[in-house]
Amino acid sequence: MEAAESALIEAVEVSAGYDNRRERTRLIALRDISLTVRRGEFLAIVGPSGCGKTTLINMIAGFVQPLSGTIKVRGMGVDGPGSDRAMVFQDYALLPWRTVERNVEFAVENRRGRVPKQDRERRIAEALALVGLAGFERSFPHELSGGMRQRVGIARALVGEPEILLMDEPFGAVDAMTREAMQAELEKIIAKTGQTVLFITHSIDEAITLGDRIVVISNRPGTIQEIIEVNLPRPRFDERNDVRRSARFGEIRAHLWGLLSGEALGAKSISGGPA
Ligand SMILES: Nc1ncnc2c1ncn2[C@@H]1O[C@H](COP(=O)(O)OP(=O)(O)OP(=O)(O)O)[C@@H](O)[C@H]1O
Ligand SMILES: [Mg+2]
């Protein structure tokens, strides 16, 4: 079956939640999520704050177990983290006492099938060059700007050459200009590596600019409200052909805005309203 062959990640009727032992209550974060992600696909994920986006990628990363349903990667059930999947956290999660290069090394130093030291140094240098941080190897996180710290987080995810990149609002904390530059850079990187990306964002424009498809999750308990095929040509960052001025872009934007500003959802956390 063709569809099954190209499915890299498959979630079937997944529900997730958190138990509060003290109060003996259970909060259901996600309900009946079924989703197939193709190899090499860029999947953007949007939805109101608290709808379960982070929970979803934490389950794919193997940090959180579903309450019911199954998540498979390459046909195998996920039962914990693995070097085939790397996460870029919204809050950087850098080790303040380590330099930039030692923060990046963190991702490859304790792996099974250890990467030899020499190979490791080369890969760290390559990953830092890729995110534009060559020359900052010996700096400490507190000496960097927010955008630079986030790039360290991205280099750390890239250094292990994972097949799947899980990115949780990775550009949420950087200024608009830097954000655009980083989006363009990310598009270039994955065009080279062919990685599969799950990318959470609160920006409608960012989701359309980067995504092959956009998954819209409803208010908690999160369910998949809609999956939108973006169908815009790549590269999306092309001075001669700015996709953001295209009719298709405007159409998706208006549609998403309608979905996310619906009363049932509450649009407080959504940026990029209608122009
Ligand atoms: N470790 C946890 N323990 C208990 N409840 C949690 C935990 N993590 C998340 N939750 C709850 O699960 C729900 C979904 O949270 P999640 O972080 O997945 O949302 P989100 O869509 O990523 O939100 P945001 O856009 O604000 O980051 C929320 O109600 C949250 O309070
Ligand atoms: Mg989140």
Side-chain angles (χ1 to χ4, degrees), residues 36-191:
T36 299
V37 186
R38 300 184 283 260
R39 200 172 296 264
E41 183 172 30
F42 195 116
L43 192 80
I45 301 169
V46 300
S49 184
C51 73
K53 303 178 295 295
T54 298
T55 302
L56 177 62
I57 66 168
N58 273 337
M59 285 191 292
I60 296 168
F63 299 145
V64 169
Q65 298 300 313
L67 290 175
S68 61
T70 53
I71 296 185
K72 290 182 176 172
V73 174
R74 260 174 272 94
M76 305 268 284
V78 170
D79 64 356
S83 58
D84 57 335
R85 289 153 282 146
M87 179 85 98
V88 178
F89 300 91
Q90 178 180 16
D91 58 1
Y92 320 134
L94 302 181
L95 304 170
W97 59 88
R98 284 194 171 200
T99 63
V100 165
E101 59 184 353
R102 298 281 80 88
N103 262 285
V104 174
E105 182 175 35
F106 184 73
V108 279
E109 66 191 357
N110 289 319
R111 289 233 315 251
R112 272 175 292 173
R114 279 168 62 94
V115 185
K117 181 82 180 162
Q118 214 179 2
D119 213 23
R120 233 195 283 172
E121 294 302 327
R122 177 185 53 78
R123 283 217 223 159
I124 293 166
E126 277 173 12
L128 286 172
L130 212 51
V131 299
L133 283 177
F136 292 92
E137 295 81 359
R138 306 279 152 84
S139 303
F140 285 90
H142 74 266
E143 299 171 308
L144 307 176
S145 71
M148 291 163 87
R149 278 178 220 170
Q150 191 52 281
R151 280 184 273 160
V152 178
I154 295 170
R156 185 180 52 195
L158 292 172
V159 74
E161 298 170 4
E163 191 172 11
I164 299 168
L165 275 176
L166 303 165
M167 307 183 85
D168 196 352
E169 298 181 49
F171 308 147
V174 300
D175 67 88
M177 293 301 290
T178 308
R179 186 167 187 156
E180 220 178 285
M182 289 173 71
Q183 291 168 352
E185 206 48 55
L186 178 64
E187 187 183 43
K188 260 193 231 154
I189 290 169
I190 56 174

Side-chain angles (χ1 to χ4, degrees), residues 243-261:
V243 293
R244 285 166 294 186
R245 298 225 180 84
S246 69
R248 176 71 186 142
F249 193 98
E251 189 183 292
I252 301 172
R253 197 172 195 263
H255 180 67
L256 270 175
W257 187 251
L259 281 178
L260 290 164
S261 61

